Amino acid sequence: MAKAPVLTPQSDDFPRWYQDLITKAELADNGPVRGTMVIRPYGYGLWERMQQELDARIKAAGAQNAYFPLFIPQSYLTREAEHVEGFAPELAVVTHGGGKELDEPLVVRPTSETIINDYFAKWVQSYRDLPLLINQWANVVRWEMRPRVFLRTTEFLWQEGHTAHATQEEARDYAAHIHREVYADFMVNVLGIDVLLGRKTPRERFAGAINTLTLEGMMGDGKALQMGTSHELGTNFARAFHTRYLSKEGQQEFVWQTSWGASTRMIGGLIMSHGDDDGLRVPPRLAAVQVVVMAIKGDESVAAVHEIGDRLRAVGVRVQVDDRIDTPFGRRAVDWELKGVPVRVEVGPRDLAAGTAMLVRRIAGGKEPVHIDTLAARVPALLDEDQAVLLRQSRERRESRTSDVTVIEDAAQAALAGGWARIPWSVLGQDGEAALAERGVSVRCLITEDGSVPAEDDAPGTLAVVGRAY
């Protein structure tokens, strides 16, 4: 009788495979309140590495970290009409505290444009105070009707950047810098996901923004996942909160603003982009554990794996030693396979007698005996190779499953068949976008013919990238 697979095969049921992997790789559990999640240590380790990589890039862009309150007076949100209308269905509102009804309801932070602007209005007085570049690592709450762990949860973790500038050009350039040099650089070069950079249509724009830049990743089933966004807010919030500065010419001017964010949704993107029927595959540059050194059995093996671990750490490899010889080796090997650690180094008595260890590669595949003395020199190069493999596979998937069409129905069919389509925006337009939405298909972003970001929605040659989305 055939042995049952550890995970539901992707080809049988992709959503079930996704949930199986999250559970069996010990990434997260469902929380006690519908739509919430408990991020387990291994999953949180991935998030910590994402934080570290993103935070370094955000600080290199000149932003400083700060923190703002979780509770926001409801009146703040009503001061920017489009913003409150966009978020109203998702708000969680506190009406009682300390056993009493509150004088004013409090909104649990869905995003922080409003409360941060209240303080920007106090902090910005002169052109000398600009640009003001702030980032916040926090949790947010958006009441989710159809939750899915990491992808859509009522509470999730993220970073949100908020900036104020003297001119529209400065704000536009900074939003684009975050889009390219922070988010795209991280997602391509660390996550190994070949994201598409584009501009959102007015229908898909962030509530209260004049322009939204997006990064869209194609998942293993051909659907799109919005991995991060960078918004130009114009002067909309500045006017609502009277955020003005005295210019060099002595005139009172409204600031021009941006906001931008990426969240724990990226963990979902990592799973669905790189995972296979054996579990997760973690890009080496992201992995909190790049190599696990496993003792198969025997006291001598235990001593050897600790020595090997020290040698690998000395050359900058992030290592975990697994010396749990009281737990069956096969069970442990399957667990590390599920968790997607890029390299396993397995050591048993026979290996030690030969002076070798078995080197197992999770991403490129295969295993081979390697002399123990050569591991420290060889492993870093293998990790670089595996990082490149994941990015190449991500790019090949997107390119092979994206078609160019000139008819709206063909765009819909391509998306419904599990891919993306590029269609001239001049052909699709807002009416065609609305018609696609009725069929569960959306315009993920607008790009130019050469794949760059158009300056305007209706710039000549603009293409709409169409697909189904999470």
Side-chain angles (χ1 to χ4, degrees):
M1 184 175 180
K3 188 175 181 180
V6 176
L7 302 175
T8 301
Q10 290 185 356
S11 58
D12 289 355
D13 188 335
F14 194 85
R16 173 51 58 189
W17 164 84
Y18 175 81
Q19 192 58 50
D20 282 354
L21 195 158
I22 287 172
T23 300
K24 294 183 179 180
E26 299 179 337
L27 300 177
D29 273 330
N30 290 316
V33 176
R34 184 178 182 275
T36 62
M37 62 178 169
V38 175
I39 305 176
R40 299 186 66 176
Y42 190 74
Y44 199 82
L46 295 175
W47 177 240
E48 286 181 312
R49 287 285 303 144
M50 291 179 180
Q51 283 183 301
Q52 292 164 16
E53 292 284 349
L54 272 178
D55 198 61
R57 288 164 173 77
I58 288 168
K59 286 172 178 169
Q64 295 178 299
N65 286 337
Y67 186 78
F68 293 82
L70 175 67
F71 297 118
I72 302 173
Q74 192 173 49
S75 60
Y76 280 32
L77 271 75
T78 62
R79 290 164 70 174
E80 211 291 323
E82 186 179 351
H83 189 68
V84 69
E85 181 181 355
F87 278 99
E90 300 176 324
L91 297 181
V93 182
V94 178
T95 59
H96 289 72
K100 297 179 180 179
E101 185 173 355
L102 301 177
D103 293 335
E104 178 182 357
L106 302 175
V107 173
V108 182
R109 174 175 54 218
T111 181
S112 298
E113 278 76 10
T114 56
I115 193 167
I116 288 179
N117 263 279
D118 188 58
Y119 286 86
F120 275 16
K122 297 176 184 179
W123 297 344
V124 175
Q125 302 297 322
S126 161
Y127 69 90
R128 296 183 182 90
D129 300 320
L130 299 173
L132 180 54
L133 314 174
I134 295 293
N135 178 62
Q136 172 174 235
W137 291 96
N139 61 338
V140 294
V141 171
R142 298 179 185 176
W143 214 257
E144 184 57 55
M145 295 297 104
R146 291 173 294 179
R148 183 173 293 178
V149 174
F150 291 126
L151 300 179
R152 291 187 178 277
T153 48
T154 296
E155 179 190 9
F156 55 91
L157 306 179
W158 77 344
Q159 60 73 212
E160 52 177 318
H162 299 269
T163 70
H165 305 263
T167 67
Q168 181 177 14
E169 291 73 23
E170 289 178 14
R172 180 193 62 213
D173 291 348
Y174 195 80
H177 179 82
I178 293 293
H179 189 222
R180 294 189 310 268
E181 306 305 323
V182 174
Y183 291 155
D185 180 72
F186 166 70
M187 292 172 191
V188 171
N189 294 316
V190 179
L191 294 188
I193 299 176
D194 190 48
V195 289
L196 185 67
L197 281 68
R199 177 186 179 105
K200 285 292 190 184
T201 65
R203 178 189 181 98
E204 296 288 337
R205 217 176 264 160
F206 177 73
I210 62 172
N211 181 31
T212 290
L213 304 173
T214 185
L215 302 100
E216 303 286 327
M218 179 181 280
M219 302 295 100
D221 61 351
K223 289 185 179 180
L225 184 71
Q226 179 180 290
M227 300 283 290
T229 48
S230 182
H231 316 288
E232 295 176 55
L233 302 180
T235 59
N236 290 343
F237 289 90
R239 293 178 185 277
F241 287 84
H242 307 291
T243 312
R244 298 186 296 178
Y245 70 98
L246 186 68
S247 70
K248 291 181 181 179
E249 295 73 31
Q251 301 294 319
Q252 286 289 329
E253 305 282 356
F254 287 109
V255 298
W256 293 79
Q257 293 181 266
T258 76
S259 69
W260 26 277
S263 75
T264 40
R265 168 178 280 211
M266 292 188 294
I267 300 177
L270 177 77
I271 295 167
M272 294 193 296
S273 183
H274 298 321
D276 61 19
D277 285 347
D278 293 319
L280 188 59
R281 295 188 301 164
V282 182
R285 291 179 189 166
L286 177 73
V289 179
Q290 294 174 312
V291 176
V292 59
V293 187
M294 303 180 64
I296 296 176
K297 63 180 180 179
D299 293 340
E300 291 182 359
S301 298
V302 170
V305 295
H306 283 279
E307 181 182 345
I308 293 169
D310 289 341
R311 290 186 187 182
L312 290 172
R313 290 188 191 97
V315 295
V317 177
R318 295 186 289 275
V319 178
Q320 183 164 331
V321 171
D322 183 349
D323 59 3
R324 300 170 295 164
I325 56 175
D326 56 341
T327 300
F329 173 76
R331 176 177 169 183
R332 289 186 284 138
V334 169
D335 285 345
W336 289 116
E337 190 96 349
L338 283 165
K339 287 180 166 65
V341 172
V343 172
R344 297 200 309 272
V345 176
E346 302 170 353
V347 182
R350 282 184 291 183
D351 300 297
L352 286 177
T356 64
M358 187 63 69
L359 191 148
V360 184
R361 298 178 66 180
R362 176 68 181 90
I363 293 166
K367 60 171 66 178
E368 61 176 311
V370 175
H371 199 282
I372 289 173
D373 290 341
T374 68
L375 282 170
R378 186 169 180 188
V379 166
L382 296 182
L383 294 174
D384 287 341
E385 290 177 13
D386 288 345
Q387 183 77 31
V389 166
L390 289 176
L391 180 60
R392 183 178 69 248
Q393 291 175 348
S394 175
R395 180 177 297 119
E396 289 173 350
R397 176 173 59 243
R398 181 168 64 83
E399 291 176 348
S400 67
R401 298 176 75 168
T402 301
S403 55
D404 289 294
V405 302
T406 56
V407 178
I408 294 176
E409 179 59 27
D410 291 345
Q413 290 301 322
L416 294 170
W420 293 0
R422 288 184 294 253
I423 183 170
W425 179 241
S426 59
V427 172
L428 184 64
Q430 294 187 18
D431 289 343
E433 182 180 17
L436 287 178
E438 293 178 358
R439 302 177 66 177
V441 176
S442 59
V443 176
R444 302 315 308 153
C445 62
L446 301 175
I447 61 172
T448 64
E449 291 176 341
D450 65 3
S452 59
V453 181
E456 303 291 339
D457 299 340
D458 56 356
T462 295
L463 301 173
V465 178
V466 172
R468 297 177 68 199
Y470 282 97

